[in-house]
Amino acid sequence: EADIYQTPRYLVIGTGKKITLECSQTMGHDKMYWYQQDPGMELHLIHYSYGVNSTEKGDLSSESTVSRIRTEHFPLTLESARPSHTSQYLCASSETSGRSGSYNEQFFGPGTRLTVL
Amino acid sequence: KNQVEQSPQSLIILEGKNCTLQCNYTVSPFSNLRWYKQDTGRGPVSLTIMTFSENTKSNGRYTATLDADTKQSSLHITASQLSDSASYICVVTDRGSTLGRLYFGRGTQLTVWP
């Protein structure tokens, strides 16, 4: 079991609310990622980080924002949630390639299931 | 366009039976291919990883194959168990990306019945 945690696991909120999804890892990994996954569909990368103070947008456009102030913490924020944000959000982390020969294996958290009413 | 296609979309088998899941990809340049298992409501967990030079890799009852020439992979599960019920996702890493960009298939939803 990977040491990567996400809270909350489930969240049901009303439209217009501000939310923050938490993600923490204790493996000391430099790289962290946020994915969005809808039922029966592939994971889509929405944000990633190479390390502290690094944040980049992924392939799928998202109205969310992220921050990376500490290595172990990579929270995702939605300023004003809408029903279109209803989805599962998965956080992952990986070592910088080449250091362990792990071929960039990404370790995933359990996910947050977000429902916006 | 880099893509990963999986088949079948869903599969139901009886406990104890074997099954094979398929993955075709167009990701280039290719770094490696992983099969992940995702239980309902959980994050994906890596089962196997295969690089360009590897044809077969086993992990217990899971055996993955890779044909880098035809860009096809399969995951064979032997003597299935109820706990094998999950989504199996084929994931290909793009060697040309400093991020190690992953391309995900939509998964095969496997259900094992008693």
Side-chain angles (χ1 to χ4, degrees):
Chain A
E1 192 88 8
D3 296 322
I4 181 164
Y5 310 97
Q6 291 186 243
T7 57
R9 292 293 315 282
Y10 303 93
L11 181 60
V12 181
I13 60 168
T15 297
K17 300 293 185 183
K18 177 180 178 179
I19 62 166
T20 296
L21 308 185
E22 302 288 349
C23 175
S24 296
Q25 51 96 4
T26 58
M27 298 172 282
H29 288 169
D30 292 326
K31 294 180 181 175
M32 296 190 73
Y33 317 78
W34 275 103
Y35 292 90
Q36 187 172 338
Q37 183 184 30
D38 293 317
M41 302 296 288
E42 63 268 44
L43 278 72
H44 289 286
L45 181 68
I46 53 175
H47 297 284
Y48 60 96
S49 168
Y50 286 106
V52 172
N53 294 325
S54 158
T55 61
E56 305 285 346
K57 289 192 178 293
D59 304 319
L60 183 67
S61 175
S62 174
E63 294 167 344
S64 59
T65 59
V66 292
S67 62
R68 190 85 183 277
I69 299 174
R70 304 199 313 268
T71 297
E72 63 272 20
H73 197 212
F74 192 41
L76 180 147
T77 299
L78 274 167
E79 290 293 333
S80 179
R82 294 205 300 270
S84 61
H85 296 139
T86 294
S87 188
Q88 168 139 335
Y89 293 84
L90 289 162
C91 180
S93 71
S94 68
E95 290 187 346
T96 299
S97 62
R99 278 204 295 200
S100 71
S102 61
Y103 300 104
N104 292 323
E105 178 177 358
Q106 293 188 17
F107 296 90
F108 288 85
T112 294
R113 169 68 63 185
L114 173 65
T115 302
V116 184
L117 304 177
Chain B
K1 181 181 178 183
N2 289 325
Q3 285 185 309
V4 177
E5 302 286 344
Q6 291 188 244
S7 62
Q9 183 177 351
S10 61
L11 182 62
I12 299 174
I13 61 173
L14 294 177
E15 187 178 14
K17 298 297 185 181
N18 304 335
C19 67
T20 300
L21 314 180
Q22 301 291 343
C23 173
N24 297 333
Y25 63 92
T26 59
V27 178
S28 180
F30 172 88
S31 175
N32 59 68
L33 183 148
R34 292 182 185 274
W35 283 93
Y36 278 86
K37 179 185 179 186
Q38 184 176 22
D39 292 312
T40 301
R42 308 291 298 179
V45 176
S46 179
L47 294 174
T48 65
I49 176 176
M50 302 186 72
T51 59
F52 187 87
S53 59
E54 296 174 304
N55 301 118
T56 304
K57 183 76 70 78
S58 292
N59 177 7
R61 294 180 297 101
Y62 301 104
T63 299
T65 66
L66 174 66
D67 185 334
D69 292 330
T70 62
K71 298 186 178 181
Q72 296 180 326
S73 175
S74 67
L75 180 69
H76 186 74
I77 305 174
T78 59
S80 61
Q81 300 175 357
L82 299 180
S83 59
D84 292 333
S85 294
S87 178
Y88 292 84
I89 304 173
C90 177
V91 185
V92 181
T93 300
D94 173 5
R95 180 166 53 85
S97 163
T98 56
L99 178 64
R101 183 67 58 89
L102 303 184
Y103 292 89
F104 294 82
R106 293 186 176 184
T108 292
Q109 183 64 48
L110 176 66
T111 303
V112 181
W113 283 1

